[in-house]
Amino acid sequence: MREAEGEARRYHHGDLRRGLIDAARQILEADGPSALSLRAVARQAGVSPAAPYHHFKDKAELLGAVAQEGWRALQLRMIQAKAGVSADERLAALGVAYVGFARENPALYRVMYEAARQSQATGSALGDGQGATYSVLRDTMVECGGEPDGPDLELAALAAWSSAHGLAEMAGFKRFHALKAQLGGETAFFKAVLSHMAVFPTPRR
Amino acid sequence: MREAEGEARRYHHGDLRRGLIDAARQILEADGPSALSLRAVARQAGVSPAAPYHHFKDKAELLGAVAQEGWRALQLRMIQAKAGVSADERLAALGVAYVGFARENPALYRVMYEAARQSQATGSALGDGQGATYSVLRDTMVECGGEPDGPDLELAALAAWSSAHGLAEMAGFKRFHALKAQLGGETAFFKAVLSHMAVFPTPRR
DNA sequence: TGTACATCAGTGAACGCGCGTTCACTGATGTAC
DNA sequence: TGTACATCAGTGAACGCGCGTTCACTGATGTAC
């Protein structure tokens, strides 16, 4: 399908920039990162292959925008997750939120890291979504009693971030399906694994 | 350059299968996974684009072989790392070995996981290098006092595997360069981060 | 040891494909008077 | 309110490219006698 809605096709799209980013996400969800070409995005948005160039300098810039929105969404989800949770459960909540997001949007998640690596390689920080998201974790660690600005806080934050990222990537492997089922679902599974990582303290009940 | 050695060019390569896999690794090291096309591999091996088809069914099979060798190498490195190390330091040694390998061969490491995901998606287990490597970790956990075959062992092994994988992916970000330098090098850095993860017990000195 | 021949492992040209990007263009919109 | 015109946001055709794969071929190798 070329159009999401039955609306009459207009020569001017209205907000094609938005439309292109949405189209990219639809492609990611449906066919994964390898299907994400500029032409495919234009096709999905119902527009000619040249149209995107009025809104993005090149393919990299479009992908960067998609990634940036992804980081922003993850960040918001983490902020929501920690709201109203007691200090000793806050980090665990953050971890579950992080891994949950990554598992629900695996292709987008991949693109987010690809963009972060890319923007580091090219030196362009173009809206450092990864940095802002990482800050949410570090701030939370301080709230939960971490010594601010010491190497120990940084180490703990990196350990937590790594653990969550690693789990997000591993959770997709069939090898762990049985374990997941045994524990009664994704969320319980995430909690259980995270509770084995010292940086995600979970009060044992 | 088309030939690595000054040896006279022979019509028959001798062991082109080997040569192609080596060529692939050279490309990975030099230009990363995105440069890894069948044609590029043939070029690097000094052979026509059609030649690889006498040794591999298609591109996926070649990449699978490269990945398989990578998993095997990682496995050996882990086995070496744990040899002759006392039980209470064995897991930490394994973690350092794992992360070290991934950091020294980042492009190969990426291809290894790509292949693992792929072979899971297509159902073909074609030499499950990831499985064998994971087993080294799980076996080590049992040696170090884990209850065999319980869900707890599986959880701990997954937690450790995730942590190491996550750290391997994060260690490349500039964000952590200062911390790495502060701790005095890669290995010390890996040890420090891993020691924050409960599943990698490190005796504090 | 020499020769005929089957088999193996290469070649090189060609295929169709989808890609990112550019270009001259045109239809729609908004603003000045 | 109507009209001229600049600007904006599209079109569609074309570019060159590298890709994976196939094909008919040929040079090299090894085996039977």
Side-chain angles (χ1 to χ4, degrees), chain A residues 98 109-110 113-114 116-117 120-121 123 128 130-132 134 150-156 158-163 165-177 179 182-183 189 192-194 196-199, chain B residues 98 109-110 113-114 116-117 120-121 123 128 130-132 134 150-156 158-163 165-177 179 182-183 189 192-194 196-199:
Chain A
Y98 183 98
Y109 184 72
R110 217 157 271 289
Y113 268 97
E114 191 54 47
R117 254 178 254 116
Q120 157 154 319
D128 183 3
Q130 190 195 32
Y134 180 69
D152 230 56
L153 178 77
E154 209 62 53
L155 279 172
L158 170 54
W161 186 265
S162 297
S163 301
H165 172 70
L167 176 54
E169 297 235 80
M170 293 309 146
F173 284 104
K174 286 213 186 92
R175 193 182 312 289
F176 305 114
H177 276 11
L179 185 57
Q182 198 174 340
L183 292 170
F189 171 68
V193 182
L194 290 171
H196 275 260
M197 298 157 166
V199 287
Chain B
Y98 183 98
Y109 184 72
R110 217 158 270 290
Y113 268 97
E114 192 53 48
R117 254 178 254 116
Q120 158 154 319
D128 183 3
Q130 191 195 30
Y134 180 69
D152 230 56
L153 178 77
E154 209 63 51
L155 279 173
L158 170 54
W161 186 265
S162 297
S163 301
H165 172 71
L167 176 53
E169 298 234 79
M170 293 309 145
F173 284 105
K174 287 213 185 90
R175 192 182 313 291
F176 305 114
H177 276 12
L179 185 57
Q182 199 175 338
L183 292 170
F189 171 69
V193 182
L194 290 170
H196 276 261
M197 298 157 167
V199 286

Side-chain angles (χ1 to χ4, degrees), chain B residues 70-92:
Chain B
W71 284 112
R72 183 67 189 149
L74 172 53
Q75 199 183 329
L76 290 178
R77 173 140 172 192
M78 285 167 68
I79 289 171
Q80 279 179 10
K82 65 184 260 198
V85 174
S86 70
D88 58 342
E89 292 190 323
R90 211 170 290 161
L91 273 172

Side-chain angles (χ1 to χ4, degrees), chain A residues 45-59:
Chain A
V47 112
S48 87
Y53 288 89
H54 287 277
H55 300 272
F56 300 96
K57 182 173 126 282
D58 55 15
K59 189 192 176 189

Side-chain angles (χ1 to χ4, degrees), chain B residues 34-46:
Chain B
S34 70
L36 195 64
S37 69
L38 231 202
R39 292 181 93 105
V41 171
R43 228 176 288 135
Q44 175 73 22

